[in-house]
Amino acid sequence: MSRIFITTEFDPFHNGHKYLIDTLKSTYEDASVICGMSGAITQRGDFPCYQKYVRAAVSVLAGSDVTVLLPYVYASQGAEMFARGAVMTAAYLRCDKIAFGATCTDMEKFRLAVNTLKRYETRMILTSYVSDNVPFPMARIKALEDMTGEDFHFLYSPNDILALEYFRALDSLAQEIEPVIVKRSQADDFDTDSPFISATKLRNQLRLGRFEEVKEHIPYELYNQAAGVEDFFSSAGVHTVEGYKNIFLAMLIGFNEKQIELASSCKTSTARRLKTNAFLIRDGVNEYARQMATKNLTVSRIRRTLIDAMMGYTKDDANHFIDNYPDYAMILALSERGRKEVRELKDAGVNIITKPADGYAQLKGMDKRAFNLDIRAQDMFDIFSRNPQPHLKYTPFVSK
């Protein structure tokens, strides 16, 4: 039996995600779809709009078979680490395929990029462009085009950048896993007739309280079913990193530069810049991140640095987990078919955790370190949650 792995944030789960799952189910009729989902903190250095438990339940109600937690140590990091975590999760769960969306569906183009980037000459050209203050994404495109004569401008799209990192991770970690690309729709503006709207635009609308405008772009009733309420979007609070500005300010004042610099996402010399300008964060986290950003230091990376410092996730931690996957899979939601998959995985030696409290008793060393960061991330999310969950006693949602 085939298992297809999807890495995602489902922030929020929308029609495009449903389309991806439906496409995989119709193309690979006998396959199970297993989702690895970010939990309480996302890859862009933000908090998801809604609780991970609701998002995971919606994904299963929409057709996935199992949704597991993508550990914080990968879910909160840049594209390379995020992709490596996704591929290692897929391998840990004995998946034979990994699926993702991209605007470019030419796999040979991605493989050419992977092999070209391994070459010493490419790295020298790339370094030269970066030294000339060319932003890294464009520098990489230019280096690839100089070396191959091919057009790689599609790699300016965030989704295709992540797709490239999936191919790189598969090449170095799990060549036995087959990549599956589902073409992403370009129609993602509210002035189109397309049912597919980008998650970024949906988050913006949700955070402005424009719930009616997003209803047709999300499986609305599944949210109500997952949360067990009549009107989820009118009762659930919408999370955002902006709520944490005073926590970050207190941290920047209280930490010394070395403590900030230890954070996994912190680049050399960034700590002093962040601490010196700490009080600017009173104007808002995103505004602060924009002011601190440079050509090669993105807004997302600034936010990730703040969160990593707050969480105590260090470069030493990241250096360990980049090649060593923590020995557990935390199940968030599953279907009846998913129950069978989980039993088979458990029989195959996968350390299945269905109740977070069990992780404390089962795990040791760096595995427990990763698990503790997952729990700490949820605690941070719950600071401003309207309905905080007793997450140590949580058991997976089961779709009947």
Side-chain angles (χ1 to χ4, degrees):
M1 180 184 293
S2 179
R3 293 191 185 104
I4 306 174
F5 187 77
I6 303 171
T7 314
T8 183
E9 293 179 334
F10 293 148
D11 182 29
F13 189 99
H14 56 70
N15 291 348
H17 295 130
K18 181 76 166 63
Y19 171 78
L20 174 60
I21 292 171
D22 289 346
T23 299
L24 294 173
K25 288 275 190 176
S26 62
T27 305
Y28 304 94
E29 295 181 358
D30 295 329
S32 296
V33 173
I34 299 179
C35 301
M37 190 190 78
S38 304
I41 295 172
T42 63
Q43 195 262 343
R44 65 187 177 279
D46 201 349
F47 293 83
C49 291
Y50 301 116
Q51 281 277 11
K52 66 187 179 191
Y53 309 114
V54 172
R55 289 150 46 222
V58 171
S59 73
V60 169
L61 289 168
S64 69
D65 295 297
V66 183
T67 297
V68 305
L69 180 70
L70 182 67
Y72 169 87
V73 297
Y74 305 110
S76 64
Q77 301 299 290
E80 179 182 0
M81 188 71 159
F82 185 92
R84 287 180 72 88
V87 168
M88 285 192 280
T89 305
Y92 186 73
L93 296 175
R94 314 303 198 261
C95 297
D96 56 282
K97 297 179 179 65
I98 184 168
F100 44 87
T103 58
C104 174
T105 58
D106 186 345
M107 292 197 189
E108 292 310 310
K109 206 72 172 286
F110 281 108
R111 292 190 176 103
L112 175 61
V114 169
N115 291 325
T116 304
L117 288 169
K118 293 179 185 178
R119 296 176 61 180
Y120 173 81
E121 298 94 326
T122 310
R123 293 197 297 272
M124 291 300 99
I125 295 172
L126 176 57
T127 300
S128 175
Y129 279 125
V130 171
S131 297
D132 290 340
N133 291 319
V134 177
F136 181 82
M138 183 53 71
R140 180 165 55 187
I141 290 169
K142 286 178 172 290
L144 285 169
E145 292 181 344
D146 288 352
M147 288 293 294
T148 65
E150 299 281 343
D151 180 6
F152 281 96
H153 270 69
F154 66 90
L155 286 177
Y156 212 72
S157 159
N159 291 292
D160 291 77
I161 290 172
L162 185 56
L164 174 62
E165 294 300 339
Y166 285 135
F167 274 92
R168 291 182 65 196
L170 288 167
D171 182 68
S172 63
L173 296 170
Q175 294 186 6
E176 72 280 5
I177 296 178
E178 175 189 350
V180 176
I181 301 177
V182 176
K183 187 169 180 61
R184 287 182 61 90
S185 169
Q186 294 291 327
D188 64 352
D189 250 324
F190 275 95
D191 59 358
T192 73
D193 294 325
S194 171
F196 304 123
I197 303 298
S198 73
T200 299
K201 291 181 173 61
L202 288 172
R203 283 192 298 273
N204 291 339
Q205 295 298 309
L206 288 168
R207 285 169 174 165
L208 290 170
R210 297 173 180 169
F211 305 120
E212 292 299 320
E213 294 183 32
V214 305
K215 278 186 176 180
E216 65 181 289
H217 304 292
I218 58 177
Y220 181 76
E221 288 303 323
L222 296 187
Y223 279 89
N224 295 338
Q225 189 177 344
V229 297
E230 291 185 2
D231 190 356
F232 173 78
F233 290 97
S234 65
S235 61
V238 181
H239 252 61
T240 172
V241 74
E242 292 293 353
Y244 294 76
K245 67 179 181 180
N246 289 331
I247 295 175
F248 289 138
L249 176 58
M251 178 192 73
L252 290 169
I253 292 171
F255 281 15
N256 59 42
E257 287 181 23
K258 182 164 283 189
Q259 287 174 298
I260 298 171
E261 194 170 313
L262 288 173
S264 170
S265 298
C266 189
K267 294 182 73 172
T268 304
S269 79
T270 302
R272 176 171 295 184
R273 180 177 174 82
L274 296 181
K275 187 168 177 62
T276 301
N277 296 282
F279 282 95
L280 294 177
I281 207 168
R282 291 182 296 186
D283 294 330
V285 177
N286 289 315
E287 178 59 28
Y288 175 75
R290 282 190 286 270
Q291 292 185 53
M292 295 299 101
T294 65
K295 280 188 177 180
N296 288 304
L297 185 62
T298 64
V299 168
S300 292
R301 185 155 187 172
I302 295 291
R303 291 194 301 249
R304 287 196 296 266
T305 296
L306 293 171
I307 290 174
D308 284 342
M310 178 180 68
M311 290 284 294
Y313 183 47
T314 69
K315 292 180 175 68
D316 286 344
D317 290 328
N319 287 337
H320 171 83
F321 291 116
I322 195 168
D323 291 313
N324 299 280
Y325 191 79
D327 185 22
Y328 65 90
M330 191 183 300
I331 309 298
L332 298 177
L334 66 168
S335 65
E336 285 296 330
R337 177 175 180 168
R339 281 183 165 181
K340 180 182 177 183
E341 291 290 340
V342 168
R343 285 195 296 270
E344 290 181 0
L345 289 170
K346 196 169 185 177
D347 291 342
V350 175
N351 185 18
I352 298 293
I353 294 177
T354 55
K355 186 184 295 183
D358 293 341
Y360 283 116
Q362 295 178 15
L363 301 172
K364 296 179 180 179
M366 291 301 286
D367 295 336
K368 192 166 187 175
R369 169 71 173 152
F371 177 81
N372 285 339
L373 286 165
D374 289 335
I375 298 302
R376 189 178 304 167
Q378 185 62 46
D379 287 339
M380 294 304 302
F381 181 94
D382 283 341
I383 289 175
F384 296 106
S385 179
R386 285 188 185 178
N387 301 297
Q389 303 291 318
H391 56 273
L392 290 181
K393 297 181 179 179
Y394 176 82
T395 54
F397 175 89
V398 180
S399 173
K400 302 299 184 183

